[in-house]
Amino acid sequence: MKQMYYASRFARPLSKADLQEIQDSAHRNNDKWEITGFLVSLGNTFFQVLEGPAATVDRLYYERIVPDERHEDVLCLKTELDVQERMFPGWKMKVFNLNEATESLPFAFRQILTSLVESHRAIAEYTQPSILKMLEQGISPTSVRPRRECVTVLYSDIIGFSRFAEHLAPRDLIGLVNSHAEVCSTHIAANNGQVNKLTGDGVLAYFPGLTSDDALEASLAILAEMARRRTTAGETSPHRYLYVGVGLAHGLVFEGNVGSPLKRDFTILGNTVNLAARIESLTRDLNVRLNIDESVVLSAKREHPFKSLGKHQLKGQSKALELYTLGSLSSLDIGEVYQSIEDFVARYPEQG
Ligand SMILES: Cc1cc2nc3c(=O)[nH]c(=O)nc-3n(C[C@H](O)[C@H](O)[C@H](O)COP(=O)(O)O)c2cc1C
């Protein structure tokens, strides 16, 4: 048996009749599906516990409840598998409308529930998807053993960021960082990758598995979207000058918890991570938007127009590495990019 806890927000103001309708369909269906639990409505938030046979709970949750247009932002708080005994055997779905309750106990309960849901929403935004998945599955991330994994590491970084940081108003600077992070996160997730860390103006991500194809596709999508944003940005916007370099390296990394109880991080580390960052920084010297190492080329399964950039001795690496880019990408005149940033920041105060 499975138990699932989730919270959601009303998609629109819901009347008593709306809540009654939800209760009626829950009572109609849950009995025959052997689902029990309760549903709390407070403010504009639902909080529901479902329990029953695992496959049935999943079907009800993913196929009916999540797509229901009466609510949105459905956030799974916790899942427990192999539950031996129901917590609410007599409730085929007991509905509590705490907005109507006047006694003080529901008020206290409401405060606790609201803060729990709010803090979980904040955690969901700040944490990486793999941690969230563990929390949703009822696994404590601190108990996960470190392991070695074969991945492709992607590191993307804003070109000329220190010049922007010296001159731009905080709002504009954060705007650049957020735009880069948003583009990267979107295309990394769409290509089965995980953002591991936002390092200020940099994004560190990884793509699990033996092939580097997803990382290559994500890199192309990121670079294309950044170029599109540059051309559609307003005349005086710093986004017109937002260029990034992307580095890819493929190999083994260690994944696990590092730090202390005061500050813990579930992260990847190892030579492949350092290499991706080093290779990224070389985009400036090689006038390319994307710089990849030989192991990425060797692990690609699909056709990609790889173009050699020659052998290079990188700091911290025992032997010279052959580096590549993709021939489908136009080269980047890094001198011109830096000059355009210089011209922009020199004009910036008048525009700001
Ligand atoms: C917050 C919320 C909780 C719900 N809980 C249940 C539930 O426990 N069981 C159920 O069958 N439907 C539930 N529903 C309704 C389903 O989304 C869906 O409308 C319903 O299952 C359709 O039932 P019907 O085909 O019998 O009309 C819920 C909807 C919302 C918005």
Side-chain angles (χ1 to χ4, degrees):
M1 229 171 23
K2 179 169 180 170
Q3 254 162 13
M4 184 173 235
Y5 301 63
Y6 78 84
S8 64
R9 281 200 193 104
F10 292 11
R12 53 181 163 81
L14 294 179
S15 64
K16 262 195 203 170
D18 289 314
L19 296 178
Q20 188 62 46
E21 212 179 302
I22 293 171
Q23 178 167 347
D24 290 346
S25 51
H27 283 183
R28 203 165 45 239
N29 298 323
N30 293 1
D31 212 14
K32 61 177 187 256
W33 294 333
E34 297 174 35
I35 303 268
T36 48
F38 69 87
L39 173 66
V40 172
S41 129
L42 61 108
N44 66 349
T45 303
F46 282 122
F47 179 86
Q48 189 170 28
V49 177
L50 298 162
E51 58 184 9
T56 321
V57 168
D58 282 348
R59 217 170 308 127
L60 171 62
Y61 178 72
Y62 290 108
E63 292 175 17
R64 289 178 175 245
I65 295 181
V66 172
D68 194 311
E69 47 80 40
R70 286 169 287 199
H71 65 169
E72 57 197 9
D73 289 339
V74 182
L75 176 70
C76 178
L77 301 169
K78 189 177 160 188
T79 297
E80 271 192 42
L81 286 167
D82 303 324
V83 176
Q84 300 303 322
E85 229 180 288
R86 287 178 192 265
M87 275 201 292
F88 314 102
W91 293 352
K92 48 191 172 182
M93 193 48 62
K94 181 136 176 100
V95 176
F96 298 93
N97 185 351
L98 288 195
N99 296 323
E100 297 208 321
T102 46
E103 314 85 39
S104 48
L105 189 61
F107 172 75
F109 183 47
R110 176 158 59 186
Q111 295 308 105
I112 292 171
L113 218 48
T114 314
S115 65
L116 175 75
V117 171
E118 276 171 8
S119 61
H120 208 88
R121 277 195 196 288
I123 292 170
E125 285 201 14
Y126 277 93
T127 197
Q128 66 202 75
S130 55
I131 298 279
L132 198 59
K133 211 160 147 197
M134 285 183 223
L135 292 173
E136 286 175 355
Q137 290 171 349
I139 302 168
S140 165
T142 51
S143 67
V144 175
R145 293 242 194 104
R147 58 185 183 150
R148 236 146 57 129
E149 225 195 326
C150 186
V151 302
T152 306
V153 178
L154 179 153
Y155 188 70
S156 177
D157 187 58
I158 297 178
I159 296 175
F161 185 72
S162 49
R163 299 298 288 148
F164 286 126
E166 272 171 56
H167 293 272
L168 261 54
R171 196 166 37 104
D172 282 343
L173 190 71
I174 298 292
L176 289 184
V177 171
N178 286 351
S179 173
H180 173 225
E182 185 201 331
V183 170
C184 287
S185 312
T186 305
H187 293 290
I188 287 163
N191 287 284
N192 312 311
Q194 293 256 347
V195 172
N196 181 249
K197 216 176 269 148
L198 301 177
T199 58
D201 64 318
V203 174
L204 175 68
Y206 64 101
F207 298 76
L210 299 175
T211 89
S212 56
D213 294 308
D214 285 341
L216 285 158
E217 300 291 346
S219 307
L220 284 177
I222 290 167
L223 292 166
E225 175 64 14
M226 296 308 298
R228 197 191 62 74
R229 289 190 176 203
R230 279 195 302 275
T231 46
T232 54
E235 278 291 307
T236 58
S237 165
H239 292 262
R240 261 188 122 75
Y241 309 94
L242 181 53
Y243 289 83
V244 299
V246 178
L248 294 182
H250 179 85
L252 287 174
V253 293
F254 294 90
E255 187 185 46
N257 288 297
V258 293
S260 72
L262 285 180
K263 168 80 180 124
R264 209 181 278 288
D265 207 0
F266 188 78
T267 192
I268 49 168
L269 34 103
N271 190 38
T272 313
V273 180
N274 301 347
L275 194 56
R278 291 250 156 80
I279 287 176
E280 186 283 321
S281 67
L282 268 188
T283 52
R284 278 68 160 170
D285 298 329
L286 299 171
N287 283 310
V288 288
R289 295 160 209 266
L290 174 65
N291 198 7
I292 54 197
D293 99 297
E294 205 174 335
S295 55
V296 172
V297 175
L298 294 174
S299 57
K301 297 272 184 293
R302 287 179 227 138
E303 283 285 311
H304 302 275
F306 293 115
K307 183 174 146 196
S308 171
L309 299 168
K311 283 207 171 213
H312 297 266
Q313 181 65 54
L314 272 75
K315 215 170 110 195
Q317 302 299 317
S318 53
K319 60 181 174 79
L321 295 175
E322 176 127 21
L323 299 178
Y324 293 81
T325 190
L326 289 180
S328 50
L329 288 167
S330 54
S331 60
L332 186 69
D333 187 328
I334 196 74
E336 261 179 34
V337 171
Y338 278 127
Q339 193 54 53
S340 70
I341 294 172
E342 286 306 328
D343 294 344
F344 171 74
V345 295
R347 291 193 310 268
Y348 176 75
E350 288 95 70
Q351 301 160 359

